[in-house]
Amino acid sequence: MLKPECVRYGILGPLQLRAGPDPRPLRGPKVRKVLALLLARANQVVSADTLVDELWDEQPPKTAVATLRTHIYHLRRSLDNVAPGLSDRLQTAETTGYVLTAGPGQLDVHRFGELTRQAADAEPAAALRLLDEALGLWRGPALSDLPAGRPLRQHIAQLEEMKITTLESWVGLHMQLGRHRALVAELRGLVSRYPLHEWFHTRYMEALFRSDRRSEALHAYQRLRRILADELGIDPSAQVRSLHREILTSGA
C-alpha cells in the first residue's frame, strides 16, 4: 500500500500527481485548479475567497462557497484514491480556507528552490551540476494544461521569473568557466524563447564573439536592435552598445 509521503506533486510543467512511477489522472477541471493553487501555496493557508476568485474570476455564483466545499470534497476523495490517508494532508483552516501539506521532496518547486540555494554556495562546477538538476525538473511551462485564473496567473509568472533567474545563473557559470562555444546553441534558443530579454541577447553576442564568430555576433546585435525598436521603441542598453563597439573594433 502506497504511503502518503511517497506521493509526488508537479507544477513545473503540466499539473502532475504521481504515485510511484506513474502519473495519476485527476478528473474535473475545477478540482484540478483547486489542487494547483493549493500546491502553488503548499504549506500555507489559501483563503476561500482566493479559491473562489481562481475558479470564477469576478463573477462567482451565489453558491460559490458551497460549491467550493464540494470541489474540496471531491479532491479529498481523489487524493485518497491515490494513497489511502493522503486526504489528511488537506486540512480546513478553521473557516478561513484550506492548506495542503507537502513534505520534503514531494513537490517539484520545493526541490527546485533547494537545488538553486545549494548552487548559490557551491563552486562553479558543482553549482552547474545542481542547476542542471534544478532546470531538469521543468517539464514545460508551469501549469500549462490549466486555464489559469488571476491567482494562478500570478504564481505562474513568479515561477517563470524563478526559471529565468536560474537560467541566467546557469549561463553565467558556463561563461565563467570559458565554455562559450558550448553555449552558443543554448543561447540561440533562449533569445528565441525570450526575445525581449536583453541579457540573454548580450550573452549570445558575447558567446559568438568569444567563439571567433564575429560576423554572427554583429548580426545578433542588429537583430536585437530591431526587436527592441519594433516592440518597445527603445535602443539597446549602454552595456550592449559597449560590447557591440568592442566587436566592431576587434576587426579593425
Side-chain angles (χ1 to χ4, degrees), residues 112-156:
F112 179 83
E114 178 186 349
L115 289 165
T116 56
R117 286 190 294 272
Q118 291 175 7
D121 297 324
E123 294 297 320
L128 269 177
R129 290 192 292 272
L130 291 165
L131 294 185
D132 278 335
E133 184 178 348
L135 291 167
L137 294 171
W138 286 77
R139 295 168 286 108
L143 298 171
S144 56
D145 58 334
L146 294 176
R150 181 169 49 190
L152 267 181
R153 287 196 299 268
Q154 292 173 350
H155 284 287
I156 289 169

Side-chain angles (χ1 to χ4, degrees), residues 67 74 97 111 123 147 150 157 172 175 197-198 204 214 233 235 238:
T67 305
H74 286 294
R111 178 60 178 161
E123 294 297 320
R150 181 169 49 190
M175 301 199 83
H197 195 294
E198 195 177 60
Y204 181 43
R214 178 176 173 274
D235 293 324

Side-chain angles (χ1 to χ4, degrees), residues 75-194:
L75 176 56
R76 285 185 168 129
R77 289 190 62 185
S78 296
L79 292 175
D80 277 338
N81 286 336
V82 172
L86 185 59
S87 65
D88 292 341
R89 306 296 177 91
L90 173 53
Q91 296 290 322
T92 303
E94 299 179 351
T95 60
T96 60
Y98 304 90
V99 58
L100 179 62
T101 302
Q106 286 193 280
L107 180 58
D108 56 1
V109 70
H110 288 174
R111 178 60 178 161
F112 179 83
E114 178 186 349
L115 289 165
T116 56
R117 286 190 294 272
Q118 291 175 7
D121 297 324
E123 294 297 320
L128 269 177
R129 290 192 292 272
L130 291 165
L131 294 185
D132 278 335
E133 184 178 348
L135 291 167
L137 294 171
W138 286 77
R139 295 168 286 108
L143 298 171
S144 56
D145 58 334
L146 294 176
R150 181 169 49 190
L152 267 181
R153 287 196 299 268
Q154 292 173 350
H155 284 287
I156 289 169
Q158 292 168 1
L159 291 170
E160 183 66 12
E161 285 298 319
M162 288 170 49
K163 183 179 183 181
I164 289 173
T165 299
T166 303
L167 283 167
E168 290 174 352
S169 298
W170 183 87
V171 169
L173 285 167
H174 272 285
M175 301 199 83
Q176 183 180 339
L177 294 170
R179 300 175 180 175
H180 302 96
R181 293 181 187 276
L183 267 182
V184 168
E186 183 69 29
L187 283 165
R188 185 184 299 116
L190 288 173
V191 299
S192 177
R193 199 181 321 158
Y194 304 103

